[in-house]
Amino acid sequence: MALRSINKLNVFVKRCAPTLFYSRHKSAPSALNTNSASSPSSTSSSRNDNNSNNEDDNRNNKNGYSGYSWRSAIRFFVPFSLGALASTMVAQREELTPTISARTLNGRRREFNFIADVVAGCADSVVYIEIKDTRHFDYFSGQPITASNGSGFVIEQNGLILTNAHVVINKPNTMVQVRLSDGRTFPATIEDVDQTSDLATLRIQVNNLSVMKLGKSNTLRSGEWVVALGSPLALSNTVTAGVISSTQRASQELGLRNRDINYLQTDAAITFGNSGGPLVNLDGEAIGVNSMKVTAGISFAIPIDYVKVFLERAAARRKKGSAYKTGYPVKRYMGITMLTLTPDILFELKSRTQNMPSTLSHGVLVWKVIVGSPAHSGGLQPGDIVTHINKKEIKNSSDVYDALADGKKELDIVIMRGVKQMRVTITPEDP
C-alpha cells in the first residue's frame, strides 16, 4: 500500500515538474516568429543573440543562480503540496477501509458454535434405556426383543438415573436395560416411580459415572436457547436445539388431570425415544426432563424444580426402607402414551396440518404405541385420535383409564386417522 502511494506521488511530480523549466523569457518564441520573415542576416543575428542568451543562462546556472521567478516556484510548490496531502489522505483511507479475507474467518467455529460446547460438556451423562420383553425372544440371537425404548441421564455417580415413568413401567413382564454413552450395557432396577408427575429413577451397579448438573427452571425466560439430548427412534446420542416457547404451560391446558405441573414448552424436537432425556440450558445444566411431543415445534418438558421435589421425597422414602409407590392403582394394560386434545391444541393442529377434520372437537391423541402391546396388535398407530370407546365419548385421558377399569374383555375404539374414521378392537392385558 505504501509503494502504491509512492508511485502515485512520483507520477504527480513528473506531471508538475515541467513548471521548473518554464522560461522567464516569454518573448523568445515570439521574437523568433517576428524575425522569421526578415532577411537571412537578421536570422543569423537572432541566432547569435539566442546563443548568447543561452550562454548567459548557463553561466548563471553555473554560478548558482536559478534564473526563475518566485511565481514559477509558487506554480510548482502549491500543486506539489496539495498533491502530497491528497496522496496521504488516500493512503490513510485505504488503510481504514475494511477488507474481507479468509484470514478473518479463522476461529469462528470455536467462537460461535455454542451448541457444540454444551453437548461436549454434558452428553456423557445421557443414557439409552431399552425395555426388553422377557416373553418374546429374537429368533436369531435368542435375546429378548425390545418392546420400547427411551432416554435418561445420570444424576449420581453411583449409578442413579432419572427418566420418565412411562418409559420404564409401560409393559408387564419386562426388564430394563441401560446403555451408557461409551457403549457399556447394564441391567437396571426401578427404585422410585411417581406416575402423577411421570418421573422415575433407575439404579445400575456401576460407579464413577459422569453426572448431569441440575439447574433452576424458575429463572428461565421465554426465548432462551435450550438443547434436548436423548435417543429418538433408538438413535442414541442425538442432539436437537431450540428455544423456550413458554415457561408456564399448565397441565390443565394439556388435559392432564391429577397433575399440578407447569410444563416447559419448547420448539426443540422431542421425538419417540427422547422421553426421559434432559433439556439443557447453555450452561450445560438440566432444566427439564423431556416428556412429550404434540406436533412439530410443540414439545413439553417437566421443570427441573419439580423434579428436585420428587428426588427429595424418593430419598426420604429410601431412608425409611419403603418400596416405591406408583401413585395410581394398577389397571389393565393397553400399551399407549396419550395426550388430551384441548381446544387450544386442536386449533394448533388444524392450523399446522391439512389432515385434520374440521368437525373434530374432542379426543385423545395417541402419541406412542409400544411394540408388541395389545394396542399395537389391535392396529393402533402413533398419530391416531381416539374419539369413542365402547360408544362413549373420549374427551380426556381419564376417560380412557375409566374404560380400562370397566372390566370389559374387548374395547371397541373409534379413531380418526387423518381425515378417515376407523374402528379397531383391542383386548387389554390383565395386571
Side-chain angles (χ1 to χ4, degrees), residues 249-303:
R249 189 65 67 194
S251 56
Q252 290 78 13
E253 295 184 51
L254 306 179
L256 301 176
R257 296 184 179 180
N258 302 321
R259 298 187 185 182
D260 187 16
I261 304 176
N262 290 325
Y263 285 87
L264 302 176
Q265 181 180 337
T266 177
D267 65 350
I270 298 177
T271 322
F272 304 134
N274 266 115
S275 297
L279 189 67
V280 184
N281 61 16
L282 294 186
D283 291 334
E285 301 171 337
I287 47 87
V289 179
N290 302 330
S291 183
M292 67 186 78
K293 169 190 172 183
V294 178
T295 185
I298 301 179
S299 301
F300 299 97
I302 303 172

Side-chain angles (χ1 to χ4, degrees), residues 17-59:
T19 59
L20 292 172
F21 302 98
Y22 182 81
S23 176
R24 66 178 177 177
H25 303 289
K26 291 185 178 180
S27 61
S30 60
L32 291 174
N33 293 333
T34 55
N35 294 331
S36 60
S38 62
S39 61
S41 60
S42 63
T43 302
S44 60
S45 63
S46 64
R47 289 178 180 175
N48 293 331
D49 293 338
N50 290 335
N51 291 332
S52 63
N53 292 334
N54 291 334
E55 290 177 357
D56 294 339
D57 292 340
N58 292 334
R59 190 181 300 111

Side-chain angles (χ1 to χ4, degrees), residues 347-400:
F347 176 78
E348 188 69 27
L349 289 175
K350 290 177 182 179
S351 62
R352 287 175 178 262
T353 179
Q354 297 179 351
N355 295 328
M356 186 72 61
S358 58
T359 57
L360 185 64
S361 60
H362 62 87
V364 171
L365 174 67
V366 178
W367 178 55
K368 184 177 181 181
V369 178
I370 307 303
V371 177
S373 66
H376 181 263
S377 302
L380 272 181
Q381 297 180 7
D384 292 345
I385 298 176
V386 178
T387 59
H388 296 78
I389 296 180
N390 294 336
K391 299 181 180 181
K392 293 182 179 181
E393 287 188 351
I394 301 299
K395 296 183 178 180
N396 50 59
S397 56
S398 298
D399 294 337
V400 178

Side-chain angles (χ1 to χ4, degrees), residues 99-172:
T99 57
I100 299 176
S101 62
R103 183 177 59 182
T104 60
L105 299 179
N106 292 339
R108 291 171 64 88
R109 289 179 55 199
R110 182 179 297 275
E111 183 179 359
F112 296 108
N113 278 330
F114 54 92
I115 300 296
D117 296 336
V118 173
V119 175
C122 61
D124 291 342
S125 60
V126 182
V127 301
Y128 172 55
I129 301 174
E130 288 183 300
I131 309 301
K132 298 289 187 178
D133 190 344
T134 57
R135 297 178 299 177
H136 300 86
F137 298 87
D138 184 78
Y139 178 80
F140 297 99
S141 63
Q143 299 295 323
I145 65 173
T146 301
S148 64
N149 60 79
S151 306
F153 55 97
V154 181
I155 57 175
E156 291 183 7
Q157 289 185 342
N158 57 359
L160 186 63
I161 297 171
L162 180 67
T163 186
N164 282 141
H166 73 261
V167 171
V168 295
I169 63 167
N170 52 12
K171 187 175 177 62

Side-chain angles (χ1 to χ4, degrees), residues 155-156 158-162 189-193 200-203 307-325:
I155 57 175
E156 291 183 7
N158 57 359
L160 186 63
I161 297 171
L162 180 67
T189 57
I190 303 174
E191 283 201 352
D192 297 280
V193 174
T201 56
L202 308 176
R203 178 78 66 176
V307 175
K308 291 178 180 179
V309 175
F310 161 74
L311 293 176
E312 292 175 358
R313 294 175 180 175
R317 190 182 302 119
R318 285 197 301 271
K319 289 180 179 180
K320 294 180 180 180
S322 58
Y324 70 83
K325 299 180 181 180

Side-chain angles (χ1 to χ4, degrees), residues 201-278:
T201 56
L202 308 176
R203 178 78 66 176
I204 58 176
Q205 299 302 319
V206 62
N207 293 318
N208 300 323
L209 296 177
S210 298
V211 177
M212 176 73 69
K213 297 180 181 178
L214 303 184
K216 296 180 179 180
S217 56
N218 59 359
T219 59
L220 286 175
R221 298 173 298 169
S222 296
E224 186 172 337
W225 278 99
V226 289
V227 181
L229 304 173
S231 305
L233 303 175
L235 302 175
S236 58
N237 303 323
T238 299
V239 179
T240 57
V243 298
I244 293 292
S245 304
S246 174
T247 60
Q248 299 289 328
R249 189 65 67 194
S251 56
Q252 290 78 13
E253 295 184 51
L254 306 179
L256 301 176
R257 296 184 179 180
N258 302 321
R259 298 187 185 182
D260 187 16
I261 304 176
N262 290 325
Y263 285 87
L264 302 176
Q265 181 180 337
T266 177
D267 65 350
I270 298 177
T271 322
F272 304 134
N274 266 115
S275 297

